[in-house]
Amino acid sequence: MKLPLIMLSVLIALTACSSSSTGRTQVMLFSDSELDKMGAASFEELKNKTPISTDKATNDFVQCVAKAITKNVPQSVHKGDWEVVVFDSAQVNAFALPGGKIGIYTGILTVTENQDQLGAIIGHEVGHVIEHHSNERLSANKLKNMGMAAATAAVGMSDVENKGLWMAGLGLGLQYGIIMPYSRAHESEADIVGQDLMARSGFEPSASIKLWQNMAKLSAGSSQGSPAEFMSTHPSNQTRIKQLSQHLSSSMKLYQASNRPNCQKPKVIPLAKS
């Protein structure tokens, strides 16, 4: 038993240790290229299974905000253009994946009042990608559930066909019935990184606070008494509002030095029936 544990410690020490931008120690067993492949495959499967919005005004709005955000993402995170798709679904949800993929559900556009609040959503989701949270989550799951043999295999692609496992790890577990949420530390980190990113991109950073207030109202008014998908694994509303408020003075400095885009939200967002 001791030998596998020693080997596991050596594996982590040699291949997986780094730090996030906020100073957290991270364990990551996958390479960027592996995560990019997983992200691309997951995105294609979602596009095949979920209707895509064809409404021009809605797509123009989302693309405008996403373009402003992604041009401020470091090239080390993703080189080239980002693929942004608006899914025609009533889900109040959004996500970003390694490999430059962003998905926005039309349902979440009913909660966002303007470009700034959509900038907060996209900034938050891209923040997960910037900080390699999918890699951390997949790696933790490997180490926890698969033992030493699988942890060793995790640095390769030997089990890439296990789509349920790695799609959940990428952040798509709710859609596929596998609950494997980001940790509260990941969510709080993505909030702060996302607030800075939206501010740098010309979106009013205080809108992130108003967004979560809107989300809280949505949850409170739910007939089932449960939060929207986008919030279901996140820290409490008051916790994240407090954290974002405390960081606001720092992000405002970035906003004041930025160029503000002009992305107009359509008056009507066509919604899928289910």
Side-chain angles (χ1 to χ4, degrees):
M1 184 66 181
K2 290 183 179 179
L3 183 58
L5 290 175
I6 293 173
M7 292 175 64
L8 180 58
S9 298
V10 172
L11 173 67
I12 294 173
L14 291 178
T15 67
C17 289
S18 62
S19 296
S20 72
S21 67
T22 63
R24 282 189 314 104
T25 298
Q26 297 175 296
V27 174
M28 297 186 291
L29 300 177
F30 293 83
S31 69
D32 290 343
S33 62
E34 288 168 340
L35 267 293
D36 288 351
K37 289 178 182 177
M38 291 180 186
S42 298
F43 204 58
E44 286 305 309
E45 184 161 342
L46 277 171
K47 289 193 295 182
N48 290 333
K49 291 185 175 182
T50 309
I52 295 174
S53 172
T54 58
D55 183 70
K56 185 178 185 302
T58 300
N59 276 275
D60 286 349
F61 173 55
V62 172
Q63 294 288 345
C64 179
V65 175
K67 183 177 180 180
I69 292 285
T70 56
K71 73 179 183 180
N72 288 294
V73 177
Q75 289 288 301
S76 59
V77 174
H78 177 70
K79 294 180 181 179
D81 295 332
W82 287 66
E83 183 179 5
V84 183
V85 172
V86 181
F87 292 101
D88 189 14
S89 169
Q91 286 191 55
V92 181
N93 212 353
F95 63 86
L97 298 175
K101 311 296 182 183
I102 295 174
I104 302 294
Y105 293 81
T106 51
I108 207 167
L109 297 177
T110 64
V111 185
T112 58
E113 299 171 342
N114 49 46
Q115 65 170 2
D116 300 296
Q117 290 182 20
L118 181 56
I121 288 173
I122 296 178
H124 172 91
E125 294 302 325
V126 172
H128 282 303
V129 178
I130 292 173
E131 297 301 331
H132 306 285
H133 291 162
S134 293
N135 199 333
E136 281 191 272
R137 180 165 49 181
L138 282 164
S139 299
N141 194 63
K142 285 284 188 183
L143 297 174
K144 178 181 178 181
N145 297 326
M146 308 299 284
M148 182 58 196
T152 302
V155 297
M157 291 291 284
S158 60
D159 69 343
V160 72
E161 294 303 320
N162 190 351
K163 290 184 179 179
L165 172 66
W166 53 261
M167 289 184 78
L170 289 168
L172 302 175
L174 289 173
Q175 288 89 333
Y176 286 81
I178 302 172
I179 304 301
M180 190 181 172
Y182 287 118
S183 69
R184 288 179 182 271
H186 287 163
E187 292 297 345
S188 294
E189 191 168 64
D191 275 350
I192 298 306
V193 172
Q195 190 182 53
D196 282 348
L197 178 58
M198 68 179 290
R200 193 177 293 111
S201 304
F203 299 108
E204 168 62 63
S206 64
S208 61
I209 300 168
K210 184 63 167 69
L211 170 69
W212 299 119
Q213 292 170 340
N214 291 351
M215 289 287 192
K217 291 178 182 178
L218 179 67
S219 295
S222 170
S223 59
Q224 290 80 25
S226 59
E229 292 93 334
F230 189 65
M231 297 178 62
S232 59
T233 60
H234 290 198
S236 71
N237 299 320
Q238 293 307 312
T239 295
R240 83 179 329 137
I241 288 171
K242 180 180 179 181
Q243 291 171 340
L244 288 166
S245 297
Q246 290 174 337
H247 190 70
L248 185 60
S249 60
S250 177
S251 59
M252 277 299 296
K253 295 176 182 177
L254 298 173
Y255 174 64
Q256 291 165 355
S258 69
N259 294 317
R260 184 167 173 79
N262 182 26
C263 307
Q264 298 296 321
K265 181 184 177 182
K267 292 183 179 180
V268 177
I269 303 288
L271 294 178
K273 294 182 179 180
S274 60

